[in-house]
Amino acid sequence: MRKLTRSGSPYTFTRRTAAALITAVITLSTSAAALAADAIVLRVGDQKGGNRSLLEISGLAKDLPYKIEWSEFPAAAPILEAINAGALDVGYTGDLSFLTVYASGAPIKAIGGTRSDARTQAILVRGDSPIKTAADLKGKRLAGTRGGWGQFLINATLEKAGSRIEDATFAPLGPVDAKIALLAGSIDAWAVWEPYISYATLKDKARVVADGEGLTPTITFIVASDNAIATKRAAVQDLVQRLNKARLWSLDHLAEYARNTAELTKLPEDVLLAAYTAQKTSPIAIDEGVVKEVQAASDRATRYGILGKTLDVGKAVDRSFTASASLN
């Protein structure tokens, strides 16, 4: 054996001591691995150029105190389906699409979100279409998403123009199929949102004949499962706060945001810049005003037959995640 000193006191370094130290190191390493294995994991649904890229571009994806497992989907509807099935913890979707799934009994809540200018929901026609105003939509074949903004905007626009819902034919089509159908002339008009509006008007020479101003809240909700809210609250809260900060960052950096998203999605940069500028998308706190506004839209959707029953929107949201948020 050999003698060593520590703080002026002699001690003996033996094989037994070495073995004990090695055991301690192994134990600590095992404990660290266990802690890493037990770290909170948020399973988050996204679309290309969505929340993941926004967090990364803004620099707010760094130093997460939890892990995010991202899953990319082609649209919001399958994100909601995955949350309902327990395969995701968090996602995002338009207000009416959320209410459609919530009405089916899905164990989900809206916990945060954003608002865009209502004019960035619109009904488009081809540049050579004889349709000039909303009144001209009567008797026409109109496409949009079923159970979401498209179907709602068509119904609300017809009603505002003094027509009955039955006075036109609704074609339930997603954005990709609807765009093809419009350009081919197999539908007369298409109800959609940004960046499809900017692309269609800038690249395909489409025209806007009506928009959602005064008709729709144009809110996109951050949605979480009841289970994630109960078991991963701190992580979900942190994600909501980061997304709010990232959205505020984007408002001050529209050109940079458009450029980076264009590289990721392969959409034209001018289209994205036009869309982001028009949308003015800002984070919201889910307060009494938002609940009242969405309740009015929900009641209207029930009257249109989009929702099968009257909903209490207050029970569909969890206000605690944005209750004390400063969004200015």
Side-chain angles (χ1 to χ4, degrees), residues 37-223:
D38 291 340
I40 295 296
V41 176
L42 280 186
R43 301 165 300 165
V44 182
D46 197 31
Q47 299 178 60
K48 186 178 288 293
N51 285 334
R52 181 178 186 175
S53 62
L54 177 59
L55 285 176
E56 292 175 350
I57 293 167
S58 64
L60 286 158
K62 300 176 181 178
D63 303 320
L64 293 171
Y66 49 88
K67 179 182 179 182
I68 295 181
E69 289 183 354
W70 294 96
S71 297
E72 188 174 293
F73 294 81
I79 292 178
L80 284 173
E81 292 171 6
I83 297 175
N84 184 27
L88 290 177
D89 297 313
V90 181
Y92 66 100
T93 183
D95 42 29
L96 289 172
S97 293
F98 161 71
L99 292 176
T100 299
V101 175
Y102 176 81
S104 70
I108 58 177
K109 295 287 188 302
I111 61 172
T114 59
R115 181 193 299 277
S116 298
D117 190 304
R119 289 170 295 185
T120 58
Q121 288 186 47
I123 296 179
L124 305 174
V125 297
R126 290 188 355 170
D128 59 357
S129 172
I131 298 173
K132 303 299 182 183
T133 68
D136 298 330
L137 296 172
K138 183 177 180 179
K140 300 300 191 292
R141 183 173 173 81
L142 314 176
T145 51
R146 184 187 296 279
W149 284 347
Q151 186 177 9
F152 183 91
L153 182 59
I154 287 169
N155 290 342
T157 300
L158 289 171
E159 185 176 61
K160 182 180 179 181
S163 300
R164 298 177 305 162
I165 297 170
E166 297 80 9
D167 289 338
T169 300
F170 175 63
L173 296 174
V176 175
D177 291 335
K179 174 185 175 178
I180 294 171
L182 182 69
L183 295 179
S186 56
I187 59 171
D188 298 298
W190 172 29
V192 74
W193 51 88
E194 291 288 7
Y196 297 103
I197 294 171
S198 289
Y199 193 102
T201 54
L202 290 174
K203 306 300 181 182
D204 299 324
K205 308 306 179 185
R207 290 187 289 108
V208 173
V209 295
D211 60 46
E213 187 171 21
L215 300 177
T216 170
T218 317
I219 288 173
T220 297
F221 279 130
I222 301 171
V223 180

Side-chain angles (χ1 to χ4, degrees), residues 231-245:
T231 63
K232 303 178 182 180
R233 172 171 283 275
V236 174
Q237 177 76 74
D238 181 83
L239 178 61
V240 171
Q241 292 174 347
R242 287 173 187 263
L243 287 172
N244 286 343
K245 291 177 182 178

Side-chain angles (χ1 to χ4, degrees), residues 96 99 152 214-217 288-304 307 311 313:
L96 289 172
L99 292 176
F152 183 91
L215 300 177
T216 170
E288 189 60 35
V290 167
V291 170
K292 183 177 181 180
E293 186 178 6
V294 177
Q295 183 69 62
S298 175
D299 293 343
R300 201 169 190 176
T302 302
R303 179 160 56 83
Y304 293 156
L307 295 177
L311 298 178
V313 172

Side-chain angles (χ1 to χ4, degrees), residues 262-294:
E263 294 174 0
L264 180 67
T265 62
K266 308 308 178 186
L267 287 171
E269 186 176 333
D270 61 334
V271 166
L272 291 172
L273 182 57
Y276 295 160
T277 302
Q279 284 175 305
K280 304 181 183 71
T281 302
S282 304
I284 59 169
I286 300 183
D287 55 18
E288 189 60 35
V290 167
V291 170
K292 183 177 181 180
E293 186 178 6
V294 177

